Amino acid sequence: MEESKMVPIRMLTLFLLATQLHWSFTHGSSDQVRKAYIVYLGEAPRLRSNVVVHQHNLLSSVIKDESIAQQARIHSYTKSFNAFAANLLPDEVQKLKENENVVSVFPSRVRKLHTTRSWDYLRMPLSVKRNLKIESNIIVGLLDTGVYMGAPSFNDKGVGPPPSKWKGRCQVVGKFTGCNNKVIGATFYNNDPKFPQRNPSPLDVNGHGSHTSSTVAGATVAGASLYGLGKGTARGGVPSARIAMYKVCWPEGCSDIDLLAGLDDAIDDGIDVLSISIGGDSNGFFDNPIAIGAFHAMKKGIFTACSAGNSGPYVYTVQNTAPWIMTGLSINTFTPNKKMYPLTSAAIAANSNLSPGLSPWSCDQGKLDQKKVNGKIVVCKEAANETYIKSLGGIGVLISVIGKIDTSFTAIIPEASIDFSFGNTTLTYVNSTKAPQAVIYKSKRVPNVAAPFVASFSSRGPAILTRTILKPDIVAPGIDILAAYSKLASLTGSPDDNRFDVYNIISGTSMSCPHVAAAAAYVKSFHPDWSPSAIKSALMTTATEMKVKDGLAEFAYGAGQIDPTSALRPGLIYDLSTLGYIRFLCNEGYTGTHLNLFTEDHTNCSSVPKFGGYDSLNYPTLYYQYDDPNSTISAIYYRTVTNVGFRNSIYKATVTAPKDLTVTVVPNTLSFTRLHQKKSFKVTLKAPPQFVQTFQYTHRSASLEWSDGTHRVKSPILISLSQPR
């Protein structure tokens, strides 16, 4: 308790110092304004005692003033990697970048959160086979908005004490009441001087962190629902596993400074799986705290799942693309009091004072007349400000949408999205009827026969940072997910919403990320000795093929939808060691000088054994990107698989490819005589000019499948033209 009481004081002191320092330079030119940067120095030294001193000496060497250097430092990262955050001037940033002991220097950005029966849908019913002894020893760490312990999903009834490997903390501070044997750790990070919080604690006042963590490892709770919607048994994918929450997100967002601090602790605390439903732009693999943390997590045998982002359906929007990371309607709770309500449109209800040229159809602030809206349902187009309509006395809203409607969100008044065609029909009815009426009923659960499909909001590939990896890796349920929530946040997050519950239905890649994390934990409970890349391979090569192929195909869904139970028996796996990822980075142009800083044995590119091929990576997918449609395609890939199926087995290769694409596999038969035996093969792709034609399509897909008659080990092959960004 004494330590927790001191935390706000220490945070406040850092904030005051940083504020004073920043203010002293803000009255000059832009090159005299200090801004927060992260200085990444690579691998954490085995002896931590002098790390902070060395960091300070480095900082002092470029600032040239001991006192200012002391004030400039914001936070030190010393447990899982070597880095520090500091307020720096542009010339100091440049000097640090030129220092041979520095891997990267990048500005601290603010990143965003990517925001029951889903496990049944993934063929993991309540009766699914489990290895409970090992599952209860698995710790899943989440970087998110905190946790609300009052939710039934975090009940620890019948759960034993935390695993002995756990080294983390539980910060009992403010209104956070403490942890238990289900949620064994909860810490918060509020180091960024730009966003000081008055009473910081691990308590979830947003609901996002409670939702994601219960999706991964929430306890089994019968009769869970949101006002009767989605009623059933809520549970996490690994309900016996433990949860460790690292609160790094606040109302302003998720600062890189805090993200890196949470990762520094999480990797050192003894977790097995990381789930990070956060994303943002990046210029490289080592100017991104998530990629940095995930790399060091991988070296410790920790599997990391990240969300791909909610910027779809546009290309080049996929985030968290490092190869050591797996990026894997209406919700109306209101029951109508009347049979029908008066119906109007935004055009009819438009404010007479609306400026010429401004359209009322978005139903935004100041665009509607209160007298014409009061007591009515309003038809809007593309968007609507429900809070504003409610303030005018509106009863509900119908939103006519041109694009694809495949996602539902909770609104503060009865709302429904309708397609553009039906919207036009509705408007015709409104305009031709003397007293038009309508009603929006409470939502009902209906099966979606189109599933599995990729939501329109889900970010698409290709990756910006590399031309050699297909991203995203995989897809998982992320639409209308019922899971735990915080009673300190309204269902919509709006202060005008008076509905509070311990469950909520939310959509987003934030929701799919914990499904992948849980699937990885489930596989690990049966194969505790498997590496993160082995688990990743098993999930990708056993994924379910998508029924619906939109225009972006594998750029939308990668290898397909996760199938956790099939991933227990993949037959063959594509394994990767740290050296394999180093080889990939060398192939991507990262220098040996920087590489040797974050490897314990100071590896550089010249000492890394050659793997060869287009991507220099033993990855479960094969991806080729080129710029000129008139050029000939010719690429070679080398792969090595490890036998984890039957001791004596023979796998034969089957290729499915479009006309004009020649895919050659040598050898096309792999014979194994023992478990864990490795076999290598070569894949050659050849295609003539105009194989991918810009006026028809920007990519073509094929596949390679190895099968022994029982196991199917499938790898997507994608050839893509570079596209405008």
Side-chain angles (χ1 to χ4, degrees):
M1 284 295 292
E2 288 303 311
E3 180 186 0
S4 64
K5 289 179 179 178
M6 291 174 64
V7 169
I9 299 173
R10 186 173 72 248
M11 298 289 185
L12 181 61
T13 303
L14 285 171
F15 169 64
L16 290 174
L17 290 172
T19 304
Q20 292 163 4
L21 182 64
H22 178 76
W23 179 88
S24 67
F25 289 102
T26 54
H27 298 281
S29 60
S30 60
D31 62 352
Q32 292 298 306
V33 177
R34 290 189 176 274
K35 296 181 180 179
Y37 283 82
I38 292 171
V39 183
Y40 175 50
L41 305 173
E43 190 71 25
R46 287 187 174 89
L47 296 176
R48 299 178 184 174
S49 56
N50 295 322
V51 175
V52 175
V53 174
H54 291 153
Q55 292 176 356
H56 174 73
N57 290 341
L58 176 60
L59 187 57
S60 297
S61 70
V62 297
I63 291 181
K64 306 297 185 183
D65 185 301
E66 285 284 332
S67 176
I68 294 179
Q70 191 67 42
Q71 294 180 45
R73 187 174 64 84
I74 299 171
H75 189 79
S76 286
Y77 312 93
T78 63
K79 295 179 179 179
S80 304
F81 38 81
N82 188 0
F84 64 89
N87 285 306
L88 301 171
L89 296 174
D91 67 307
E92 295 163 355
V93 171
Q94 188 58 38
K95 290 176 183 177
L96 285 167
K97 286 183 176 180
E98 294 170 356
N99 191 298
E100 62 179 7
N101 295 312
V102 175
V103 177
S104 60
V105 184
F106 54 95
S108 173
R109 303 177 181 90
V110 178
R111 300 179 186 271
K112 296 180 179 179
L113 294 161
H114 285 157
T115 231
T116 57
R117 287 177 173 76
S118 58
W119 292 114
D120 289 328
Y121 176 67
L122 292 175
R123 300 199 301 140
M124 289 183 68
L126 284 168
S127 58
V128 71
K129 181 182 177 182
R130 293 190 179 277
N131 193 342
L132 293 178
K133 184 176 181 180
I134 296 180
E135 183 178 306
S136 66
N137 198 49
I138 289 177
I139 305 170
V140 180
L142 297 100
L143 274 66
D144 219 298
T145 64
V147 62
Y148 181 71
M149 296 299 293
S153 293
F154 305 122
N155 188 302
D156 68 345
K157 184 179 180 180
V159 182
S164 58
K165 63 184 177 182
W166 172 243
K167 298 190 297 181
R169 299 173 296 154
C170 183
Q171 289 179 297
V172 182
V173 61
K175 294 182 179 180
F176 185 71
T177 56
C179 302
N180 59 19
N181 288 332
K182 164 55 71 175
V183 181
I184 61 175
T187 51
F188 69 89
Y189 303 85
N190 186 215
N191 301 303
D192 195 324
K194 296 193 299 295
F195 308 125
Q197 305 297 313
R198 179 172 293 181
N199 296 302
S201 83
L203 185 63
D204 184 11
V205 297
N206 175 284
H208 191 278
S210 299
H211 198 280
T212 55
S213 54
S214 67
T215 300
V216 179
T220 301
V221 182
S225 71
L226 173 65
Y227 287 76
L229 299 179
K231 190 171 184 179
T233 300
R235 64 191 184 281
V238 277
S240 296
R242 316 307 176 102
I243 296 168
M245 174 57 67
Y246 301 85
K247 183 175 179 177
V248 298
C249 297
W250 306 93
E252 299 84 356
C254 318
S255 166
D256 281 357
I257 294 173
D258 294 334
L259 268 169
L260 211 54
L263 285 162
D264 191 29
D265 279 351
I267 296 167
D268 188 62
D269 283 346
I271 65 167
D272 300 285
V273 174
L274 260 174
S275 180
I276 309 174
S277 295
I278 302 168
D281 296 334
S282 176
N283 296 320
F285 292 126
F286 294 111
D287 73 348
N288 179 329
I290 297 175
I292 289 172
F295 184 84
H296 289 277
M298 173 273 299
K299 294 174 69 175
K300 292 283 187 71
I302 299 168
F303 180 98
T304 303
C306 291
S307 48
N310 296 331
S311 300
Y314 308 107
V315 296
Y316 288 109
T317 55
V318 63
Q319 298 173 3
N320 297 318
T321 56
W324 46 87
I325 294 174
M326 192 165 195
T327 36
L329 306 162
S330 167
I331 301 176
N332 178 30
T333 66
F334 302 100
T335 301
N337 295 321
K338 299 179 181 179
K339 290 184 177 180
M340 300 292 282
Y341 294 88
L343 179 66
T344 188
S345 71
I348 295 173
N351 194 325
S352 59
N353 298 323
L354 191 65
S355 301
L358 284 181
S359 170
W361 287 109
S362 63
C363 299
D364 209 351
Q365 195 73 34
K367 293 185 176 181
L368 304 178
D369 188 325
Q370 191 269 338
K371 293 180 181 179
K372 298 176 182 178
V373 171
N374 187 38
K376 298 178 181 179
I377 295 173
V378 185
V379 181
C380 307
K381 289 184 178 179
E382 293 302 317
N385 186 333
E386 302 98 346
T387 301
Y388 172 56
I389 292 173
K390 182 181 180 181
S391 72
L392 299 180
I395 296 297
V397 59
L398 294 174
I399 305 176
S400 177
V401 179
I402 294 177
K404 190 175 182 180
I405 304 174
D406 55 13
T407 310
S408 49
F409 298 95
T410 305
I412 66 171
I413 57 175
E415 175 191 293
S417 294
I418 55 179
D419 66 61
F420 189 69
S421 175
F422 185 68
N424 285 340
T425 302
T426 304
L427 289 174
T428 299
Y429 165 69
V430 171
N431 294 329
S432 62
T433 306
K434 185 176 182 179
Q437 293 182 311
V439 65
I440 301 174
Y441 290 107
K442 184 177 180 179
S443 299
K444 294 182 180 180
R445 190 186 75 223
V446 294
N448 192 332
V449 295
F453 65 90
V454 181
S456 56
F457 62 74
S458 187
S459 291
R460 266 63 166 172
I464 293 177
L465 296 183
T466 176
R467 296 163 63 95
T468 59
I469 305 175
L470 173 61
K471 287 284 182 172
D473 291 306
I474 208 162
V475 293
I479 298 178
D480 300 343
I481 305 300
L482 175 71
Y485 201 62
S486 171
K487 270 199 168 183
L488 300 179
S490 68
L491 294 185
T492 60
S494 170
D496 297 306
D497 190 353
N498 60 5
R499 293 167 300 165
F500 299 85
D501 205 333
V502 291
Y503 292 100
N504 201 354
I505 297 174
I506 308 179
S507 296
T509 55
S510 279
M511 283 64 254
S512 56
C513 176
H515 280 89
V516 176
Y522 179 68
V523 174
K524 189 175 182 67
S525 70
F526 286 88
H527 304 285
D529 58 333
W530 280 12
S531 69
S533 60
I535 295 173
K536 180 175 180 176
S537 172
L539 290 170
M540 292 175 68
T541 60
T542 61
T544 303
E545 298 176 35
M546 303 298 286
K547 294 178 183 177
V548 181
K549 291 199 172 186
D550 66 11
L552 292 173
E554 288 84 354
F555 281 149
Y557 53 73
Q561 179 175 270
I562 57 169
D563 184 347
T565 53
S566 293
L568 296 181
R569 299 170 296 277
L572 304 174
I573 55 173
Y574 295 85
D575 209 350
L576 265 168
S577 65
T578 301
L579 193 63
Y581 291 116
I582 297 294
R583 185 187 294 114
F584 162 79
L585 291 169
C586 291
N587 190 57
E588 292 290 303
Y590 285 80
T591 66
T593 303
H594 285 165
L595 290 178
N596 67 30
L597 293 174
F598 58 80
T599 55
E600 294 176 2
D601 53 357
H602 298 292
T603 303
N604 57 51
C605 291
S606 61
S607 63
V608 176
K610 301 298 181 185
F611 190 72
Y614 174 73
D615 54 7
S616 293
L617 189 69
N618 196 38
Y619 216 62
T621 57
L622 292 84
Y623 178 61
Y624 180 81
Q625 185 181 126
Y626 68 122
D627 301 318
D628 183 6
N630 295 314
S631 63
T632 299
I633 295 171
S634 180
I636 295 175
Y637 300 81
Y638 294 97
R639 294 292 187 266
T640 299
V641 288
T642 304
N643 180 27
V644 294
F646 301 130
R647 185 181 303 275
N648 295 296
S649 54
I650 298 175
Y651 285 81
K652 295 183 178 180
T654 301
V655 171
T656 303
K659 183 181 178 182
D660 295 333
L661 174 63
T662 302
V663 182
T664 306
V665 183
V666 179
N668 61 7
T669 300
L670 302 176
S671 298
F672 296 92
T673 57
R674 64 182 186 277
L675 289 176
H676 308 299
Q677 185 178 5
K678 297 180 184 293
K679 293 284 184 177
S680 298
F681 60 93
K682 180 175 75 172
V683 179
T684 303
L685 307 182
K686 288 186 179 295
Q690 292 294 318
F691 173 69
V692 178
Q693 303 174 33
T694 54
F695 61 87
Q696 286 185 323
Y697 31 65
T698 57
H699 58 272
R700 303 286 296 276
S701 59
S703 66
L704 165 64
E705 180 182 297
W706 290 100
S707 178
D708 64 349
T710 301
H711 305 95
R712 296 177 61 215
V713 188
K714 190 171 184 179
S715 293
I717 301 171
L718 192 68
I719 298 174
S720 167
L721 265 177
S722 299
Q723 301 173 51
R725 301 177 189 178

